[in-house]
Amino acid sequence: MEKLAEANEYAAAEVNRNLTNEQKIGFMLDMFRIRRFEQEAAKQYSQGKMGGFLHLYIGQESVAVGTVSVLGEDDHVITAYRDHGHALAVGMGMDECMAELYGKKTGCSQGKGGSMHYFAPEKNFWGGHGVVGGQTPLGLGLAYALKYKGLTGCVLCFMGDGAVNQGPVHESMNLASLWDIPVIYIIENNGYSMGTSQARSSAFGECLAARAEGYGIDWDVANGESLYEIRAKTAQAVERAHKESRPTVLEIDTYRYEGHSVADANKKKYRTAEEIEKYKTEHDPLRLWRKVLVEEGVLDDQAADALDREAKREAIASAKFAAESDFPGPEAIFEHVYHEVDHDTVSGRTGKHFFND
Amino acid sequence: MEKLAEANEYAAAEVNRNLTNEQKIGFMLDMFRIRRFEQEAAKQYSQGKMGGFLHLYIGQESVAVGTVSVLGEDDHVITAYRDHGHALAVGMGMDECMAELYGKKTGCSQGKGGSMHYFAPEKNFWGGHGVVGGQTPLGLGLAYALKYKGLTGCVLCFMGDGAVNQGPVHESMNLASLWDIPVIYIIENNGYSMGTSQARSSAFGECLAARAEGYGIDWDVANGESLYEIRAKTAQAVERAHKESRPTVLEIDTYRYEGHSVADANKKKYRTAEEIEKYKTEHDPLRLWRKVLVEEGVLDDQAADALDREAKREAIASAKFAAESDFPGPEAIFEHVYHEVDHDTVSGRTGKHFFND
Amino acid sequence: MPEISYRHALNAALSEEIERDENVFLIGEEVAEYNGAYKVTEGLWKKYGGKRVVDAPISEAGFLGLSVGASMMGLRPVVELMFWSFIYVAYDQLVNNAGTVRYMSGGLVNCPLVVRGPANGGTNVGATHSHTPENMLANMPGLKVVCPATAYDAKGLMKTAIRDNDTVCFMENTLLYGESWEVPEAEYLIPLGVADVKREGADISLIGHGRALLTALQAAEVLAEKHNINAEVLDLRSIRPLDEEAILKSVRKTHRAVLVEENRPFCGVAAQISSMIHEKAFDDLDAPVLRVSSLDAPAIYSPPLEKLQLPTIERIVARVLEIC
Amino acid sequence: MPEISYRHALNAALSEEIERDENVFLIGEEVAEYNGAYKVTEGLWKKYGGKRVVDAPISEAGFLGLSVGASMMGLRPVVELMFWSFIYVAYDQLVNNAGTVRYMSGGLVNCPLVVRGPANGGTNVGATHSHTPENMLANMPGLKVVCPATAYDAKGLMKTAIRDNDTVCFMENTLLYGESWEVPEAEYLIPLGVADVKREGADISLIGHGRALLTALQAAEVLAEKHNINAEVLDLRSIRPLDEEAILKSVRKTHRAVLVEENRPFCGVAAQISSMIHEKAFDDLDAPVLRVSSLDAPAIYSPPLEKLQLPTIERIVARVLEIC
Ligand SMILES: Cc1ncc(C[n+]2csc(CCOP(=O)(O)OP(=O)(O)O)c2C)c(N)n1
Ligand SMILES: Cc1ncc(C[n+]2csc(CCOP(=O)(O)OP(=O)(O)O)c2C)c(N)n1
Ligand SMILES: [Mg+2]
Ligand SMILES: [Mg+2]
């Protein structure tokens, strides 16, 4: 990662210049909320309260919070399975997110999607997708629909550094450029796909984002330590999308502290304990943003701690909410398969839709 | 296309410098043979002697002949469905190729593959593949096997300009570079994928081959009019593969005179008659090579015509051969599905393999 | 009633739906300026322009996935696959995205999408281009699968499919595009999941879909003429939803059935229907339900052999005679 | 005999075959340095090095296609899919390349390839990660499909699969990796296409594969204890080739069958088998063959519900009681 000082020069960027203290504090709180939510989720996971996978975003909070913070009304978000951060950043509640992990009816997807499959279309959030790279044509399609409808908006479509080697990513980039689709592909480069370092999974010239050049797409790389830089570079891409209807590929360097998922027993095998420690102490986006705010006089340490406590309380409460919620009943298995059946339309009533008997 | 004169400077390249007259005449004959073979095939097709698709290579002959002519013993070839040119260039006989079009038992694939699916592993030719882009991982795998076995060889894997937008092409390029696989991807850029011009199907920076840069792969563009240039640039890639085990992407500009397939009723709708005519008169690789040879004093017009006639005779004879050959019997339907069944091994005898009764 | 071709019927359905709903658009390789590889979209680009009829590069995963995403936001894409065989390069987008996103979002998102194109053998294009994936896609709850056998059905089902709020896989047949049937000029819709008795009969039920159904109809004529067997021919039209009631009704009347499909046999559509009939009408059956599928190998190129590989009248008749 | 886990049995089979044949290599995501996402390849990279055990980027179409190409030239790749569910991004490479190249080349080329990994639901990973494509892949002549239910079978079948000269789709189960069975130390092979009677019985045949077979075995115990019904339990082990003789033999003995599978029902494996039994043993049956499949929806996340979605002992017992 480049020097943070340099990154923080982006404080002067237009999108950052006029931020109010309240907004800056809001970003701090948003990041605390993601971290505390996930810590609580991990704790509950280890106590057997949920099943399947739990991919933690801890260490990467600045990316979701920074990028989403520059979006407007007709801007949308879609991401992969490591989706808790983006979900909270777009404004989903901790309760529905935690309940989803528990598989409860009060979950955002009524307990049917789980950790990897959060959705909140009314918050412009289109998932949570489990198949690596599979969301990239979907993000393209969402942006295609915006353009089709004549709206001035764009789509942030997130993916990991490992995802860039999936075919659909490449097909999507070509289509995005060819058809001037306002989609912004954000590569959250945390250096690893599961236990595989970037160097062992991708061949590239300058950087992953530079592959965009092969499609005539503008690209950039941002330092994920700095909210200011993330915001500035995302804003630039959003402006390009809004004004020119052109795509962008934006790579953001970041790091995950935990294993690939909570069940990753190898989390300290493919990288050194020192490497992880170094990120936590020197590059932690929460710590660094807090420092910026303290230096700017926006926040003192006590106030920051209070924010953090607030986030933690909310997370604990969400676990209680989830625990006390009901599981869906067995009838839920056959709900939400077909729109027409759910709505008991004529079309939903002709012919047999389910084949167990 | 760049100036031909410039292209023909490649006559001085190492691989071309020491060509004997015989070899040069051989290339002429090879190109005549491809053209005459296909003209004969088209004629027979129009008389209902074969079914399905017939994708003619006419106009592109220099690519197959030029590239294949620099290959050695452990170098291999795989291509897409427009495969007659490559098949003849690697040394397959017209008889077995024509018979395959007729669906005859004497066909190279015993009439089971048809025009798009020629095979001759004993000539290092691995097909003939109908799904656009689908052959690119196969080519990679063939090269992988060469390296695995410790052989000094490479694979020429051909594709069209439309194929570059298939996901597997991208995945293959990354793997080829990451693992140092001696595969050479040759993009035969004839300007169109069916009725879609390159500009309507691909977004790119400099050219299609330049996408290779995103993977750290060396690339080049060659003028398909000039056998000398094709040979020189292919030889360079082959040398890179042999010596450094590194991949190359080589784009070769060329043109197809006929429709996408013989059944393409639109062949003059998506491009002007003038465009086609211009290529035929000014850029035809056969005409141009003939001119080079005449100018070099290797061949006079009479001798050239004699070669052409020889090719034509061979083509006509192959149609006769095909017409007189037998169709496979109905039992052929269930042959070549499973190796173990065909060879009546223990494994082929346990359990039921076919389920019509 | 005027006779129009299967191709023309589809073209009319697409045209009418484009006119009716501004969210409907067509996308696929060569569908616009080239008028469609099989001319199903002929004239539509000229008439409706490049927003409503879109030529795509050879990136099925890309443009099918794009269409799924666009449908999530309320558009109604109709995606042409030049051949359904090419779905295999885009399978994940169809099965995992269109097929599961409604479920995994607890109903928050749906995908009103039609994916259409020919899915058939018999045209000597070899094994890679001759797949019939209706059985596999109908295996996936969340997807719907329709296989019309006539121009009339093609038009009415296509219009319904486009208006349906779920993803419909619409499978046509290149060998039928040029065939004609009576089709009324006035608008009509055919609901999904409703089978159609294409020939009444009392002695045996021939049940199938797509072009195999037409072969079954021909076989029924032979049975009547040569064997004095009066076959009922039931066209499933839609594979999922499936009109089980119509199947059972016919079988309860005739007490015998032969199932006909161009699917390959292992876990083909007929396997499902056979298993269902036996389970639900066991005591009504005078003989086991038999099947006629494609001969169980990849599609062979050689033209005379490929004819044998698909269900033939002879094979159907022979099967019927085994139990009649 | 020592008891070893299903995972360990697979690991031993892979290790032995790597040692035996220098053309065998393993490739897949995280199979080498990470020891495998589910630890099936544990220790093999360390032991045999990076030529024989290869970590791949997340490019299933790329590295599966690479493996098909390498197998054409005589190598014997064993490809791990972290989940079989991910085959959908590489479907074309498997079905159209590995599945047809031998055919389309008139036997000139073959693909001695194994594709392996877990194919199961029941672990709360949601609809996209819980597919069971054995029915669809077995639909394709040219491919073989194997679904072992025990450590013993897993080892013996894996060794055979690697030596087989055709492409074998080998489907494991994450819920079985940790389960142990007796496995001899001496080398043994189990041929493909040979079913195994896992429990002898006279009153009804329970027929299935994979983990569903184990559920069937438990159901058989309940049937014996509580209902005085002595069920025979037949493990198909291999779906294609399929041991039809063993199925028919069992049914001709018991005159009744319930088929159990974790497949979804529409055109599931059990559909094929039910159709076949009715066709070939119609007169031997005292009741229709019934089926127990997964509940017909995408795999639900919610843990208690997903348990209900897969075949349960209760559902099997209830089905049996319908006809016994
Ligand atoms: C097509 C596909 N292949 C494999 C997987 C299994 N898998 C899930 S996440 C992952 C690693 C992805 O790494 P990256 O894209 O860098 O994202 P990160 O986990 O670092 O956020 C893998 C291999 C999958 N979900 N989908
Ligand atoms: C995956 C896939 N999609 C579509 C097709 C249909 N198709 C066959 S050839 C072709 C055009 C390919 O163009 P290009 O790659 O430029 O090769 P050329 O025909 O010019 O040699 C198309 C669309 C196919 N065979 N496979
Ligand atoms: Mg990563
Ligand atoms: Mg082209």
Side-chain angles (χ1 to χ4, degrees), chain C residues 179-217:
Chain C
E179 302 288 311
S180 291
W181 284 266
E182 289 194 341
V183 176
E185 292 191 43
E187 168 162 281
Y188 63 96
L189 296 171
I190 300 173
L192 310 188
V194 178
D196 182 43
V197 178
K198 288 263 191 302
R199 183 186 197 281
E200 299 234 18
D203 300 335
I204 187 166
S205 303
L206 301 180
I207 302 171
H209 63 279
R211 185 167 162 271
L213 199 278
L214 305 177
T215 316
L217 279 169

Side-chain angles (χ1 to χ4, degrees), chain A residues 123-134:
Chain A
K123 298 211 160 59
N124 292 4
F125 183 67
W126 298 92
H129 293 272
V131 178
V132 166

